[in-house]
Amino acid sequence: MEVLGYFASLFIGISLGLIGGGGSILTVPILVYLFHVNPKLATTYSLFIVGLTAAFGAVRHYKMGNIEIKSASYFAIPSLMTLLVVRKVILLRIPETIAFGTSFSISRSMIIMVLFAVLMIMASYSMIRTQKAVVKEAKVEPIQLITIGAIVGIITGFLGAGGGFLIIPALLFFARMKMKQAVGTSLLIIGFNSLFGFLGDVLNGVAMDYTFLLSIAFIAGIGIFIGTFLSKKIDGAKLKPIFGWFVLIMGIYIIAKELTS
């Protein structure tokens, strides 16, 4: 299963490079089901892997002129604030097991994976549906960007997911970007949020296997170079529905697996 996990890690980067998101949706299930990492620790590992991979991709897109710093700042600052509150305050207060009376209890690991599966299903809808054309003459709407940025921070904090499925549509409709600019700016936001979130966990004393982390990040990094190269030849927007159906199936599978195990 580990061999399959390393192979699957390549697609974390390819997805981020091609469509500016989706990589984090794959990362936690890969870590949990193929590498048998505890779900809570997997969210921390995901922050590092996705953050480092997205940062590599952001550098590439910056050189290509595909990053809008001002719009990214509207997103990044509120999302980082909510992310740190979730990981340093809320997540640490969730017990390992939550009991409902004397006959029923649910583990924190199960809660994380079911919530992650719900997130995957929500993300799949965003990917599958057809995006409307963006009106370029309209102004950037910072309030909407700040609000969605705060929501993305909460998602990233709880589940270790970058939130690209929310960031891309927000940049298209509220920052009036072209698709390639939205992809590049999304990678910058994801990299910024995820790496700072990971740093927060390091400061909290979370024990980690850095050799394992760097090996997965290296493979995902190769994937993002492939994805960025392919983005010059392939319209990532056309591939999003296909990836969305895959994410939908995976989300349903995870819910079924967690509820029947």
Side-chain angles (χ1 to χ4, degrees):
M1 293 297 284
E2 288 191 2
V3 174
L4 181 59
Y6 283 111
F7 179 74
S9 299
L10 189 68
F11 288 92
I12 296 172
I14 291 175
S15 170
L16 284 167
L18 262 178
I19 63 176
S24 53
I25 291 292
L26 298 175
T27 307
V28 169
I30 288 172
L31 291 171
V32 172
Y33 296 121
L34 298 183
F35 291 108
H36 308 292
V37 176
N38 174 274
K40 183 176 182 297
L41 182 59
T43 66
T44 297
Y45 280 11
S46 176
L47 290 174
F48 178 83
I49 294 165
V50 173
L52 192 60
T53 306
F56 282 137
V59 171
R60 296 271 302 197
H61 276 276
Y62 179 77
K63 293 177 180 178
M64 295 162 61
N66 290 336
I67 292 182
E68 294 284 347
I69 301 294
K70 184 177 180 180
S71 294
S73 66
Y74 287 134
F75 236 99
I77 294 172
S79 60
L80 179 61
M81 292 173 62
T82 53
L83 183 156
L84 292 176
V85 168
V86 167
R87 292 201 75 83
K88 292 182 72 67
V89 179
I90 299 174
L91 200 58
L92 295 176
R93 285 169 168 72
I94 300 177
E96 289 290 341
T97 303
I98 300 174
F100 298 90
T102 58
S103 58
F104 178 73
S105 64
I106 184 171
S107 68
R108 180 172 61 185
S109 296
M110 182 179 178
I111 292 173
I112 289 173
M113 292 313 298
V114 170
L115 286 176
F116 201 91
V118 171
L119 173 68
M120 292 177 78
I121 292 171
M122 292 170 58
S124 70
Y125 171 75
S126 174
M127 294 173 186
I128 292 168
R129 68 183 181 134
T130 303
Q131 301 284 3
K132 297 178 181 179
V134 179
V135 181
K136 293 297 175 184
E137 290 75 15
K139 295 180 180 179
V140 173
E141 301 176 37
I143 298 301
Q144 287 85 342
L145 291 176
I146 290 169
T147 301
I148 298 173
I151 295 170
V152 168
I154 294 171
I155 293 171
T156 305
F158 270 113
L159 303 175
F165 77 101
L166 284 175
I167 297 173
I168 292 288
L171 294 178
L172 288 173
F173 295 116
F174 299 130
R176 314 303 173 185
M177 292 184 188
K178 296 178 181 178
M179 185 63 186
K180 290 187 184 296
Q181 290 177 320
V183 168
T185 306
S186 172
L187 290 175
L188 178 64
I189 295 166
I190 291 171
F192 179 84
N193 283 352
S194 299
L195 289 176
F196 271 97
F198 174 78
L199 180 60
D201 282 6
V202 171
L203 296 177
N204 283 337
V206 178
M208 303 177 211
D209 183 347
Y210 286 100
T211 302
F212 171 73
L213 270 179
L214 288 171
S215 65
I216 299 297
F218 176 76
I219 294 171
I222 294 173
I224 202 163
F225 282 110
I226 295 172
T228 303
F229 173 78
L230 292 176
S231 71
K232 300 175 185 177
K233 316 244 180 224
I234 304 171
D235 185 357
K238 294 180 180 179
L239 296 179
K240 284 185 74 175
I242 299 173
F243 186 72
W245 284 109
F246 171 74
V247 170
L248 175 62
I249 294 169
M250 285 296 299
I252 294 171
Y253 168 79
I254 291 172
I255 289 177
K257 181 177 176 62
E258 292 296 326
L259 295 181
T260 57
S261 62

